[in-house]
Amino acid sequence: MLDPSDIEAKKDALIWSARRCFDLKLQTNAGGNLSVRLSSGDAIVIKPSGVGFAECSRDNLQVVHLDGKIEPSSFKPSKDLNFHLDLYRIRPDINAIVHCHSPWATGFASAGLEIPCLTVQTIEKIGRMPLIPLSDNGGPQTEVEISPFFQDTSIRAAVLANHGTIGVGKTLTAAQYLAEIIEETAHIAYVRDTLIAAHGKTVADLPTYGTARDAQAAKS
């Protein structure tokens, strides 16, 4: 039995995250999606199709069980629903997913480039963002393409070719912060590569460790 207060709290958290994404220009119009696992049962709260991040409300967010059953709703399920559900099924550590079409990161995705983890923050918090190709028919990625990458429990973020990004976390706040770091890193990578080219350089040093503690541990 799902707890109504749990549903209400998770909807409010999702509205916060969606609004933050919109305000930070990580997502415009009705694209992208985000969801959060309920604590009171095997179900999630997710944004439906056709609803913008800035328009998310308690009335339009959907509750969907992990077996695919959708609680009564007048809204159409998201095209991303199946990959969200599958990630929750295969990764018990994932409690939230933020999928955005943020412009800098999607620029890398559309160029077929993996966003490099080039700052101490991304080395520590992400490690690697694999580039997931389009489906075999050239359409958007589904659970068939996405889930195999996330079978590796070290993967917390991914770039969807010609599509956008995915950030996952133990909490919605953690997944939200990853979505922001992904976009920030893509922007930094573009600026770095532009400056390297402008100054006639060919490579730039990358950090090996995410924190001073990691570096010290490697020496001992």
Side-chain angles (χ1 to χ4, degrees):
M1 184 81 174
L2 299 178
D3 181 354
S5 63
D6 181 28
I7 294 173
E8 201 168 89
K10 293 301 193 303
K11 283 186 175 183
D12 287 346
L14 207 69
I15 292 165
W16 166 82
S17 183
R19 187 73 217 191
R20 184 172 169 118
C21 282
F22 181 81
D23 290 344
L24 292 173
K25 296 182 169 56
L26 299 183
Q27 184 62 56
T28 60
N29 60 72
N33 210 311
L34 64 177
S35 63
V36 61
R37 192 194 295 263
L38 290 173
S39 304
S40 56
D42 290 333
I44 64 171
V45 172
I46 187 169
K47 182 185 82 68
S49 178
V51 173
F53 275 40
E55 287 72 53
C56 287
S57 69
R58 286 185 179 179
D59 294 332
N60 58 33
L61 294 177
Q62 292 182 316
V63 175
V64 183
H65 296 261
L66 293 191
D67 63 6
K69 176 189 172 185
I70 301 172
E71 290 291 318
S73 170
S74 58
F75 292 87
K76 182 180 175 182
S78 167
K79 297 188 293 290
D80 301 323
L81 175 61
N82 287 337
F83 93 67
H84 280 246
L85 290 175
D86 207 46
L87 289 184
Y88 288 116
R89 293 186 198 111
I90 67 171
R91 289 275 299 272
D93 61 307
I94 293 176
N95 291 321
I97 300 168
V98 176
H99 162 52
C100 293
H101 304 162
S102 52
W104 287 99
T106 305
F108 272 79
S110 299
L113 298 172
E114 188 172 305
I115 300 171
C117 288
L118 45 72
T119 66
V120 293
Q121 183 183 39
T122 51
I123 293 290
E124 176 189 5
K125 297 185 180 300
I126 298 177
R128 182 189 168 217
M129 291 177 265
L131 177 68
I132 302 177
L134 290 166
S135 64
D136 287 342
N137 65 9
Q141 295 82 351
T142 68
E143 67 276 13
V144 173
E145 292 77 34
I146 295 169
S147 291
F149 285 86
F150 281 89
Q151 290 280 3
D152 179 349
T153 56
S154 70
I155 297 299
R156 292 171 245 176
V159 182
L160 304 178
N162 302 89
H163 187 169
T165 64
I166 298 173
V168 303
K170 291 184 177 181
T171 67
L172 188 55
T173 300
Q176 171 67 33
Y177 286 172
L178 275 186
E180 296 172 20
I181 293 170
I182 294 167
E183 179 69 353
E184 177 184 76
T185 304
H187 193 171
I188 291 168
Y190 182 86
V191 172
R192 179 201 66 167
D193 292 346
T194 301
L195 290 172
I196 286 174
H199 290 270
K201 296 180 67 176
T202 56
V203 294
D205 293 333
L206 290 177
T208 303
Y209 307 105
T211 64
R213 180 179 296 176
D214 293 335
Q216 187 61 41
K219 293 177 183 177
S220 55

